[in-house]
Amino acid sequence: MRPSRITAIFAAVLLMAACEEQGTNPVPPVPLPCDDADSLKLPRFSVTAHPRDTLLPPNVAATLPHTAWAKSDSVRAFFGGKDVKLVFTLDRKMYLATWSGSAGEAEVTLLSRDDEGTGRTVGSINSPLFSPDGSKIAFAGTTRGKPGFILDAVGAGQRARRVLIDGITRNRVHVTADPHWYQEGPHTWVYFATLPGLVNYSDNCRQIPGATYKAELLPTGAMDTVIRTTGIPGAYRAGISKDGMWAGTSYATSSLYGAADSITRVLAGGEQQCNPSMNPYPAGSKHNDYMLILAFGGHPAYHTIDNDTLVEGLHENLWIYNKDNKIVWQCKRPDEAFYERFDKPEWSTHPDYASAIILQRSGDGDLYAIRIGNLADADEGKLNQAQGYLKLGAGGFTSDSYSHLWVAP
């Protein structure tokens, strides 16, 4: 076999290994059309099975025999006594974990119903995100963003209301990939991307392909039937900053879009990166442009804020980038001899914390909370490092496991 062929196969394997959480279909060989950010395109696919709004039967408690949970006193100490909730996925199911006792383990509740896929089949639930108050969860039912839901985040014995992000209109709805929350005065919006899978920056269009739309969660708990444009040029899958001035994306190209100057800033030379997550800093913070990223590895060099260069393998570090294409924060694996790589990082609702899966070299995965530190208004000039780790769940997690933490303000 020719060396070029071997190289191509190896590259394809790496592509499948990284960013697999949002679908592994390759980018189409023909250029995607240049989408108008202010134009609402026709719905992308048909669906008839899911009701627009439903009250589910009571949730049930769950036991995960392969996972040992952190004790409540350790969780309380790590988060400074703040209330904490965790949503996570495992084996195509979604769970809620809470810690309430003084020394007990997590109380785990099964949230999913094995009907979140198209046609009410078993889905591949991904990107679950708590609302800012922790009362609801937005998520996509499949890796292709078809369909998307808002679900009450309630424990065992309680009934949850579940609504479609894009309600059925003449049996057709939009792709609702990577739904994210955004609060604008009295309005609660859910932003979503119209393109799942791997999306590269288009030199021809000078933007990210696809579009970012929004729908409003009404005070009644129902979703508005009107889908609106956002003016964001492309499918931005990391959400937007709380001041509405920055949107981020990755899978494969990482970029930050600034609403003030309408400029798309491509990061890391356009190299593939994964799992983007915009900061939850309060409006008015100095660094509302910061975005958490899981690097693909293999890039010749990553450039830091202190003019250093770093090289890594596949998913060996977590990074936070700024608008100037500089890494301002690094999270190394807590034990590089024991752990092989990160997967599925997500910034929590609190600026100081994140969660991620860290895969052992043996293949099993643990779920960690990570203390980022207070960077919202920090002076730039040096590369900041993670301030601490807490193993929330030991064992049983995989590279397909998503997580998100709600941490009280």
Side-chain angles (χ1 to χ4, degrees):
M1 185 179 293
R2 291 178 300 181
S4 59
R5 177 63 173 164
I6 295 173
T7 302
I9 292 174
F10 179 68
V13 170
L14 284 179
L15 182 64
M16 296 290 283
C19 296
E20 62 185 353
E21 62 282 344
Q22 290 297 329
T24 54
N25 288 347
V27 177
V30 295
L32 293 171
C34 300
D35 291 299
D36 181 357
D38 296 311
S39 175
L40 193 69
K41 285 186 171 259
L42 293 174
R44 302 288 183 115
F45 76 106
S46 299
V47 61
T48 58
H50 286 97
R52 184 192 300 272
D53 192 334
T54 186
L55 186 63
L56 300 172
N59 287 336
V60 297
T63 301
L64 300 177
H66 301 296
T67 302
W69 295 98
K71 302 296 185 182
S72 296
D73 52 357
S74 297
V75 173
R76 188 167 53 254
F78 186 81
F79 291 99
K82 301 179 186 296
D83 290 337
V84 175
K85 297 188 218 180
L86 170 72
V87 61
F88 64 94
T89 66
L90 183 61
D91 296 331
R92 306 178 77 177
K93 297 181 185 294
M94 183 169 65
Y95 300 88
L96 175 72
T98 57
W99 288 263
S100 58
S102 60
E105 292 188 349
E107 299 171 1
V108 181
T109 301
L110 176 64
L111 298 180
S112 56
R113 303 305 171 107
D114 291 339
D115 69 344
E116 290 82 12
T118 54
R120 301 192 76 172
T121 59
V122 176
S124 50
I125 294 173
N126 61 95
S127 301
L129 295 177
F130 282 110
S131 59
D133 65 0
S135 67
K136 297 181 183 298
I137 298 166
F139 66 97
T142 69
T143 55
R144 310 307 295 170
K146 305 187 294 189
F149 300 95
I150 303 297
L151 178 70
D152 291 338
V154 295
Q158 301 181 65
R159 302 187 70 181
R161 184 179 183 181
R162 188 179 71 187
V163 298
L164 288 172
I165 292 174
D166 186 5
I168 298 171
T169 302
R170 297 181 180 177
N171 295 333
R172 291 182 66 78
V173 297
H174 292 86
V175 170
T176 51
D178 295 275
H180 282 77
W181 300 91
Y182 177 62
Q183 194 70 37
E184 186 179 28
H187 301 285
T188 300
W189 299 101
V190 178
Y191 279 58
F192 59 88
T194 64
L195 288 180
L198 300 175
V199 179
N200 284 311
Y201 177 83
S202 170
D203 289 321
N204 176 53
C205 302
R206 302 183 66 81
Q207 68 176 64
I208 297 294
T212 302
Y213 297 152
K214 64 180 181 180
E216 185 175 5
L217 179 66
L218 301 174
T220 61
M223 292 297 300
D224 192 355
T225 58
V226 179
I227 302 297
R228 295 174 168 85
T229 61
T230 63
I232 298 172
Y236 276 73
R237 304 174 61 187
I240 63 172
S241 58
K242 284 192 172 183
D243 62 0
M245 300 307 294
W246 294 95
T249 194
S250 190
Y251 309 111
T253 305
S254 295
S255 68
L256 286 165
Y257 172 75
D261 55 17
S262 301
I263 293 176
T264 298
R265 296 161 172 84
V266 175
L267 307 179
E271 295 289 328
Q272 178 175 323
Q273 295 183 314
C274 309
N275 294 103
S277 183
M278 286 301 293
N279 70 84
Y281 297 153
S285 298
K286 184 187 296 185
H287 301 307
N288 284 111
D289 56 303
Y290 281 10
M291 181 170 66
L292 178 67
I293 281 290
L294 178 59
F296 181 75
H299 189 276
Y302 296 96
H303 302 288
T304 69
I305 191 70
D306 50 3
N307 295 317
D308 197 3
T309 56
L310 300 169
V311 178
E312 72 158 4
L314 180 66
H315 294 189
E316 290 181 348
N317 295 274
L318 304 182
W319 310 115
I320 293 177
Y321 272 88
N322 68 8
K323 65 181 183 299
D324 300 318
N325 192 26
K326 298 292 186 180
I327 296 170
V328 300
W329 177 88
Q330 177 185 25
C331 178
K332 302 176 182 178
R333 289 157 289 163
D335 183 342
E336 296 183 2
F338 184 72
Y339 287 111
E340 182 177 14
R341 63 186 176 93
F342 287 99
D343 244 310
K344 309 295 189 297
E346 192 70 51
W347 216 315
S348 81
T349 59
H350 191 290
D352 292 355
Y353 304 98
S355 61
I357 304 301
I358 313 183
L359 296 176
Q360 303 170 18
R361 295 191 179 276
S362 64
D364 199 12
D366 300 327
L367 196 161
Y368 270 82
I370 300 161
R371 185 180 293 115
I372 294 173
N374 184 5
L375 304 180
D377 295 301
D379 291 335
E380 292 186 325
K382 68 174 183 177
L383 178 64
N384 291 283
Q385 299 288 334
Q387 300 296 297
Y389 308 86
L390 174 64
K391 190 185 298 183
L392 289 173
F397 293 93
T398 73
S399 61
D400 292 322
S401 298
Y402 289 86
S403 67
H404 188 227
L405 284 164
W406 177 84
V407 182

